Amino acid sequence: MWALIKIEAGYPFLPYHAYLCEPDKNATQPQERKVMHETRLRFPPSPTGYLHIGGARTALYNWLYAKKTGGKLVLRIEDTDADRSSEDSIQGIIDGLNWLGIDWDEGPYFQTEFSHEHRAAAARLVRHGKAYHCFCSKEELERKREAALKAKTAVGYDGTCRHLGEAEITARHERGIPSVIRFKVPERHGKLGYDDEVLGRIESDYEEIDDFVIVRSNGNPLYLLCNVVDDIRDRITHVVRGQDHMTNTIKQLLLYEALGAPVPVFAHMPLTLDTKKAKISKRSHGEIVAVQFYRDNGFIPWAFNNFLVLLGWSPGDDREIFSKEELIEAFSLDRINKSASIFNYRKDDPKFFTDPKAIAINEHYLRTMDVEALAPMVKDVLVKEQLWDDSYEGERKQWFLQTIELIRSRFHVLTDFTTMGRAYFSDDFQIEEKPLTKNLLKFPELQTLLPELAERYALLSDFSLEQTERLARECAERAGVKPGVIINGMRTVVTGQLAGPSLFEILITIGQQKVVERLCRTPQFYV
RNA sequence: GUCCCCAUCGUCUAGUCAGGUCCAGGACACCGGCCUUUCACGCCGGCAACACCGGUUCAAAUCCGGUUGGGGACGCCA
């Protein structure tokens, strides 16, 4: 069981380390022998919308630390607010985590399934005089709050019901006056605090802490309480969450104490802000902060994780690209940054649809990862656009892999295979405006030259790099134009693109028959 | 208004705890060059920051104090 070993002077709590120790009867100084229990972390999203990048990053950090320490990650859906929770968002969150490849060892648990425990805990606190019924009405409280705000004085509960007598409480209950349960913050002087793994020592004056509500008037327990009760039950050893929870942590410390439970290690990660330095949220930023958006826009899952982890953490050296194993190895809580980072997405930027660094990291993986590993991801986007052919996994597998290899260095996201790379997988593709005018319309002679060249290509028994290039250059020479005119004209007609790989490589890849057909179609673009 | 947290290039950051090796390193973005049938990749180069003031010290991005700025919390939301 838990052993309480070391008391830190001046604080009513044991430092967390103490709770992670097992007593050693033989040791003379048992506090020096720290036997760590299995680390247990949790990701507790509230199902009020899709998974957004802040949540994903929190999940990632928890997951990484669990993996690093050989511990467990618990997924717990905090659905205590029935009004705002939805089945859809539960599924959305799970889908998002699955896509990212963040797996969990236990759960998903649902907070509502444990409400009896939360109520029992609240009842126990009341019984022990550590919480009390408060009969102040919402309106009254709101009025006081407004007044305090207006008078520019402290905003917070004034303790009206804190000292109500037994008889008075019973009387009010009998009269049917609704009440909430408030936690009774101990009357102590001095400070309350904990050692944050990221921020260091965090302290707060007891006087600053208001008696907070733990159970609503309808009997439903609130987050502050549920969260602690669940963490105790789930034996959570490390709480890694955003800095927006810092004031909650102070209050929850009191709850742990009142419930007689060991305090976990806390690590508060910096928040991710938008380009105007406001906290990112689903409501004000929409799809650009949704994990799903990155899935749908051709991101490689691990590349996205790699980007996210760098938003507020660094390994201490110059490395930025990590394999899963490397990242787990390199990750640590104490190298998490203290200051908030900005998610530098560029709204309406024609070149970058999100943070340029995210795209850069994605490109890196897209261009360097093993083609065999990339192929299934390319398959997914092709399937979605009805460009997939089963032979790409059968007799044309080599062709498929080589084609990916040929075209990927120009791509940024997976969906580029279906847009810029469309002509490799389908005859139904558009000629882009720019190459049309620049490479085709500008040279009317191509209307006859390209079909002529097509005829020669059709007769070629050896449709090779050397032969296709030789005939193209001969064609240019006969017509008295620069080879580039022929080459870029062909690129345009064959791929629809202004830029691409070496043209003759393209021809071989697309194949003799299709190349001939496409070259013959040249005149139709001039009408 | 109160409390808490934070502060290095445009952005992500290294360096801060153990002051000198930092007229501050890397990445992305941007600009230029090389390569080239195009575009990209790649390679080479460039631009660009210690918020401010004071103190401690032989020496401060680094330690201390203050100022300013930014963020967060202050709910019968999570």
Side-chain angles (χ1 to χ4, degrees):
Chain A
M1 277 294 87
W2 302 107
L4 314 185
I5 293 162
K6 195 169 80 181
I7 303 288
E8 197 175 339
Y11 297 99
F13 300 116
L14 300 176
Y16 60 80
H17 299 290
Y19 298 108
L20 298 175
C21 300
E22 269 180 347
D24 183 338
K25 297 175 199 77
N26 303 319
T28 48
Q29 286 184 304
Q31 66 271 36
E32 294 306 318
R33 209 195 108 132
K34 289 175 181 163
V35 181
M36 298 295 282
H37 285 74
E38 171 187 73
T39 58
R40 294 177 58 86
L41 293 95
R42 45 42 158 206
F43 176 56
S46 63
T48 55
Y50 49 66
L51 183 64
H52 65 102
I53 59 169
R57 197 173 62 106
T58 303
L60 176 63
Y61 281 29
N62 277 282
W63 179 83
L64 282 169
Y65 195 69
K67 292 282 180 213
K68 185 180 175 86
T69 54
K72 297 273 195 293
L73 180 66
V74 176
L75 175 61
R76 195 172 65 220
I77 308 292
E78 305 218 320
D79 55 350
T80 53
D81 187 346
D83 294 345
R84 299 199 306 153
S85 298
S86 80
E87 203 62 43
D88 277 358
S89 46
I90 292 172
Q91 198 51 52
I93 288 163
I94 289 175
D95 288 347
L97 292 173
N98 283 339
W99 179 73
L100 287 165
I102 295 176
D103 52 3
W104 53 92
D105 303 286
E106 287 179 27
Y109 297 135
F110 293 86
Q111 197 161 55
T112 44
E113 290 175 10
F114 297 95
S115 59
H116 58 283
E117 288 189 13
H118 308 143
R119 288 162 200 264
R124 195 160 82 238
L125 292 177
V126 172
R127 211 162 47 238
H128 294 170
K130 291 174 175 172
Y132 59 92
H133 285 274
C134 166
F135 298 88
C136 296
S137 73
K138 241 182 220 177
E139 296 69 30
E140 195 178 334
L141 256 20
E142 184 55 29
R143 213 196 64 238
K144 285 182 181 174
R145 213 181 89 87
E146 297 276 309
L149 232 34
K150 207 166 183 178
K152 296 186 191 294
T153 58
V155 181
Y157 185 62
D158 59 4
T160 304
C161 299
R162 190 177 161 121
H163 302 292
L164 253 31
E166 197 82 32
E168 179 62 23
I169 293 170
T170 313
R172 294 198 190 191
H173 277 315
E174 278 168 2
R175 270 188 282 158
I177 301 174
S179 67
V180 299
I181 298 175
R182 280 185 191 275
F183 182 78
K184 187 185 276 180
V185 175
E187 287 179 49
R188 295 174 183 145
H189 293 293
K191 290 170 186 294
L192 163 69
Y194 64 100
D195 291 305
D196 191 285
E197 282 293 289
V198 176
L199 267 7
R201 182 92 199 154
I202 301 295
E203 296 181 336
S204 185
D205 278 323
Y206 274 99
E207 283 81 6
E208 301 291 346
I209 312 167
D210 301 322
D211 288 352
F212 51 93
V213 178
I214 53 176
V215 179
R216 291 196 239 217
S217 54
N218 67 5
N220 292 139
L222 256 9
Y223 167 78
L224 247 15
L225 208 223
C226 300
N227 188 251
V228 167
V229 169
D230 292 341
D231 281 347
I232 293 169
R233 184 193 55 254
D234 292 334
R235 304 183 337 271
I236 299 304
T237 60
H238 292 69
V239 172
V240 181
R241 57 187 358 178
Q243 286 181 10
D244 50 345
H245 281 283
M246 281 173 68
T247 48
N248 289 335
T249 301
I250 289 290
K251 291 174 181 169
Q252 290 184 325
L253 248 20
L254 258 11
L255 251 15
Y256 278 102
E257 182 200 32
L259 261 13
V263 176
V265 176
F266 287 99
H268 288 100
M269 1 180 337
L271 265 20
T272 306
L273 274 21
D274 71 10
T275 47
K276 291 188 287 277
K277 296 195 171 176
K279 191 174 154 185
I280 56 164
S281 69
K282 302 162 200 177
R283 206 185 52 217
S284 49
H285 299 87
E287 63 171 7
I288 194 77
V289 300
V291 167
Q292 189 183 336
F293 176 78
Y294 295 88
R295 181 191 65 196
D296 296 344
N297 280 280
F299 264 76
I300 292 165
W302 182 252
F304 197 61
N305 282 317
N306 197 148
F307 165 71
L308 286 179
V309 78
L310 260 17
L311 234 42
W313 174 87
S314 81
D317 52 40
D318 288 341
R319 286 178 300 163
E320 294 201 315
I321 301 293
F322 302 87
S323 69
K324 210 172 270 194
E325 295 69 29
E326 286 168 341
L327 188 58
I328 289 167
E329 169 65 29
F331 189 76
S332 70
L333 296 180
D334 56 18
R335 287 210 57 86
I336 295 176
N337 263 247
K338 292 179 178 180
S339 52
S341 51
I342 292 171
F343 178 54
N344 193 26
Y345 72 95
R346 317 254 193 115
K347 212 178 161 100
D348 304 322
D349 187 314
K351 198 167 176 188
F352 304 102
F353 67 93
T354 186
D355 191 320
K357 188 125 189 179
I359 295 178
I361 291 173
N362 197 59
E363 277 169 17
H364 176 86
Y365 280 96
L366 188 66
R367 292 164 185 174
T368 59
M369 70 186 283
D370 184 60
V371 188
E372 292 260 11
L374 181 60
M377 300 182 200
V378 178
K379 175 186 175 181
D380 285 347
V381 295
L382 291 181
V383 167
K384 245 173 234 153
E385 288 295 309
Q386 278 128 41
L387 297 171
W388 174 254
D389 187 319
D390 282 336
S391 69
Y392 297 161
E393 271 175 346
E395 68 271 23
R396 301 195 70 197
K397 185 174 176 187
Q398 275 316 306
W399 173 85
F400 184 57
L401 296 180
Q402 279 163 12
T403 301
I404 291 175
E405 185 65 87
L406 180 70
I407 61 184
R408 66 170 168 173
S409 76
R410 261 148 287 251
F411 294 171
H412 306 274
V413 287
L414 292 166
T415 44
D416 287 337
F417 283 97
T418 69
T419 53
M420 293 153 79
R422 194 177 178 92
Y424 295 88
F425 307 106
S426 169
D427 290 324
D428 176 30
F429 61 92
Q430 289 288 306
I431 306 280
E432 287 190 349
E433 188 61 33
K434 217 168 165 185
L436 181 66
T437 52
K438 192 179 164 191
N439 293 337
L440 235 45
L441 302 183
K442 195 174 162 192
F443 305 102
E445 59 269 40
L446 289 174
Q447 288 178 83
T448 53
L449 292 179
L450 260 28
E452 267 175 41
L453 183 55
E455 277 180 45
R456 289 167 196 269
Y457 277 171
L459 298 173
L460 222 41
S461 59
D462 172 28
F463 195 71
S464 64
L465 241 36
E466 296 73 24
Q467 295 306 315
T468 50
E469 177 161 3
R470 183 178 60 80
L471 290 182
R473 289 188 184 278
E474 280 175 13
C475 173
E477 204 169 319
R478 266 196 316 280
V481 298
K482 283 189 281 188
V485 173
I486 300 294
I487 288 170
N488 289 323
M490 279 203 278
R491 184 195 310 286
T492 303
V493 173
V494 173
T495 69
Q497 297 284 308
L498 179 68
S502 167
L503 190 261
F504 302 102
E505 299 257 21
I506 294 174
L507 299 185
I508 307 306
T509 300
I510 288 182
Q512 187 167 22
Q513 194 196 332
K514 282 176 185 278
V515 166
V516 169
E517 283 167 15
R518 291 180 189 179
L519 290 177
C520 286
R521 283 201 315 226
T522 305
Q524 77 186 53
F525 301 114
Y526 288 82
V527 291

